[in-house]
Amino acid sequence: MNDMFSTGITPRDYWMMAYGAWKTIQMTLAAGLLATLLGIVLGLLKMSRFAVVRLAVDTLVDVLRCIPLLVQVTLIFSGFAVLGAPISAFTAGTIALTLFAGSYTAEVVRDAILAVPAPLRRAARSLGMTARQEYAYVVLPLGVRQAFPSWLGLMLGIVKDTSVVAVIGYAELLKATQTIITRTQDPLPLLTLAACFYFVICFPLSMVGGYFERSLKKRS
Amino acid sequence: MGYTFQFGVVLDALPDLLSGAAVSLSLAVASMVVGMLLAAPLAVAAAGRNLAAKTPARAWIELARNTPCLAQIYAMYYGLGAVGIFMPAWAAVFLAISFNNAGYLAEIFRGGLNGINANQFKASRSLGLTPAMAYRYVVFPQVFRNTYNSVSNQFIWSMLNTSLGALIGLYDLSGVAMDYQMRTFKTFEFFLAIAVAYIVLAKLIMFGMRFLKPGGANA
């Protein structure tokens, strides 16, 4: 870069976008992992014996699903600041995405458990398995197969939803792109490139999902 | 903790917030209607064998589902602006969310189409219905009924997505909150208020969809 006022796209810009894509992947991994864990916990709690627990979880999930992610991210970011314990944009974004995606994962987990035929579970128990063994050897293998496609869909959703965390200043892929656009004033090639980046991240995953779904259909 | 919550400023902004809510809801309804109208032929094309129709339909669906909604809004607003097509923020959001809805709904309808026995279509054809009539009167009424819950969810989902319009200056619920946040620095209060407003809107949509359900509220 000889001229600091040049408006062309430089190799550095591509590097900045690639770095943005990496930050997108980082947040996806963190939020994806946490959301899966949260989803499993909430999904199991959804099937609790106690009506109070079920009601509490259902209400939480319902509320999380009815508020736009943009609003949740801003609320969490400013909420922690208001409480006097400011957190980084990465942390705030990860928490928001975890809650948001976790509430959807809970539903997936519950449906997967319900999809395991009840007689099969009773049979496992009557063979002398403990409740834990029943979950580990019967419900889990069958449930995972059922839940995988929807779970993958949710993870793909996180990749795209990281773009919303840009509002609180997390320089992920789309924010990086937007920043470069304000200098070059040439949005088309850069936005196309950003879309390509997202596609490259998402498409292989959705192919795996499609393959898995088809092989499941063949087996059943 | 030295922070005092001030909800008075939120109350002062109530007229603007209400008009913002009207913008959010009307955009959601409009883009849902257009999305449904586009999704039906897209789903038929994507499920069919005609490659000339199938390829663009699949491309639309994959593009809509594999890129962030925000990127789609940017593409309409900044991208089309770069080739000389300028439009106000609401139009860009409307087009982007319609495009997005069409992709997601087409995938939902495609699943619904798979669940309909192919012989029904053949039977309608042999009774003298044109392909368009067969889809209109025989196939799609069933598809709509079977996919109703997914479609309702997509409706709520797209309403929540309209909030992204605030980033290109749309004066919807989120846009109003962002505007007032800059003037008053009461970020938390305003976003808490609109969070509640969004829940109310989502419940309104849920409620409305229950009444529109074919066969009535209890079907």
Side-chain angles (χ1 to χ4, degrees), chain A residues 62-72 74-76 78-80 82-84 100 104 156 159-161 163-164 166-167 174 178 181 186-188 191 195-196 198-199 202-203 206 217, chain B residues 1 3 5 62-71 74-75 78-80 82-83 104 114 153 156-157 159-160 163-164 166-167 174 178 181 187-188 191-192 194-195 198-199 202-203 206:
Chain A
D62 192 37
V63 164
L64 288 174
R65 278 178 168 206
C66 289
I67 302 174
L69 192 56
L70 176 87
V71 176
Q72 291 191 33
T74 317
L75 265 183
I76 289 171
S78 66
F80 273 94
V82 160
L83 288 174
F100 194 65
Y104 282 90
L156 288 174
V159 177
K160 288 170 277 164
D161 286 341
S163 61
V164 176
V167 281
L174 202 56
Q178 192 65 16
I181 289 174
D186 192 10
L188 267 187
L191 279 177
C196 290
Y198 279 112
F199 209 75
C202 289
F203 194 63
S206 68
K217 221 177 255 172
Chain B
M1 203 183 106
Y3 191 87
F5 290 100
E62 293 299 336
L63 200 62
R65 285 161 47 92
N66 283 313
T67 55
C69 192
L70 183 58
Y74 280 169
Y78 298 114
L80 289 185
V83 293
Y104 276 91
N114 283 340
N153 283 338
I156 292 173
W157 184 246
M159 190 273 290
L160 300 183
S163 69
L164 298 172
L167 297 179
S174 301
M178 280 192 174
Q181 159 217 319
T187 313
F188 189 79
F191 276 83
L192 195 64
I194 65 166
Y198 274 114
I199 293 176
K203 292 293 165 203
M206 236 180 257

Side-chain angles (χ1 to χ4, degrees), chain A:
Chain A
M1 275 225 316
N2 300 322
D3 182 5
M4 66 180 287
F5 298 110
S6 104
T7 53
I9 303 172
T10 64
R12 236 185 236 208
D13 293 334
Y14 295 121
W15 174 243
M16 182 168 162
M17 281 181 74
Y19 188 64
W22 168 234
K23 289 182 102 170
T24 289
I25 293 172
Q26 269 179 312
M27 187 175 275
T28 304
L29 289 177
L33 182 69
L34 292 173
T36 306
L37 294 175
L38 180 71
I40 291 172
V41 173
L42 288 181
L44 289 173
L45 287 178
K46 255 177 176 292
M47 312 189 63
S48 160
R49 249 176 303 162
F50 308 103
V52 189
V53 177
R54 289 200 303 267
L55 186 71
V57 175
D58 284 344
T59 311
L60 176 71
V61 167
D62 192 37
V63 164
L64 288 174
R65 278 178 168 206
C66 289
I67 302 174
L69 192 56
L70 176 87
V71 176
Q72 291 191 33
V73 169
T74 317
L75 265 183
I76 289 171
F77 194 54
S78 66
F80 273 94
V82 160
L83 288 174
I87 52 177
S88 72
F90 180 82
T91 316
T94 308
I95 295 176
L97 281 171
T98 299
L99 290 173
F100 194 65
S103 70
Y104 282 90
T105 316
E107 203 76 5
V108 171
V109 169
R110 196 189 74 111
D111 288 347
I113 294 175
L114 286 180
V116 180
L120 198 66
R121 297 179 59 177
R122 274 185 235 119
R125 291 303 285 274
S126 68
L127 282 172
M129 285 190 183
T130 62
R132 189 172 299 176
Q133 284 172 326
E134 176 207 338
Y135 268 98
Y137 301 120
V138 179
V139 177
L140 189 69
L142 290 173
V144 164
R145 221 178 279 176
Q146 168 77 23
F148 184 79
S150 328
W151 175 82
L152 195 74
L154 291 175
M155 295 303 116
L156 288 174
I158 297 182
V159 177
K160 288 170 277 164
D161 286 341
T162 52
S163 61
V164 176
V165 183
V167 281
I168 53 168
Y170 186 65
E172 43 64 67
L173 178 53
L174 202 56
K175 175 88 177 171
T177 312
Q178 192 65 16
T179 309
I180 300 168
I181 289 174
T182 51
R183 181 170 55 76
T184 64
Q185 294 296 319
D186 192 10
L188 267 187
L190 289 167
L191 279 177
T192 312
L193 186 64
C196 290
F197 265 113
Y198 279 112
F199 209 75
V200 165
I201 300 172
C202 289
F203 194 63
L205 285 174
S206 68
M207 290 306 272
V208 172
Y211 173 79
F212 207 84
E213 214 170 333
R214 272 190 297 278
S215 73
L216 258 181
K217 221 177 255 172
K218 237 179 275 167
R219 226 175 300 170
S220 57

Side-chain angles (χ1 to χ4, degrees), chain A residues 67 71 75, chain B residues 6-7 9-11 13-14 17 21 173-174 177 186-201:
Chain A
I67 302 174
V71 176
L75 265 183
Chain B
Q6 292 174 356
F7 285 97
V9 283
V10 178
L11 277 181
L14 204 59
L17 286 169
L173 259 180
S174 301
K186 299 295 167 209
T187 313
F188 189 79
E189 286 87 336
F190 272 105
F191 276 83
L192 195 64
I194 65 166
V196 175
Y198 274 114
I199 293 176
V200 172
L201 285 185

Side-chain angles (χ1 to χ4, degrees), chain B residues 6 12 25 28 41 44 50 68 72 77-79 85 100 106 109 114 116 133 136 143 146 151 164 179 214:
Chain B
Q6 292 174 356
D12 292 342
L25 192 62
V44 172
N50 183 355
Q72 291 163 15
Y77 195 63
Y78 298 114
I85 306 171
N100 187 276
F109 287 160
N114 283 340
I116 307 277
M133 284 163 83
R136 164 74 183 81
V143 171
N146 294 342
V151 172
L164 298 172
D179 181 27

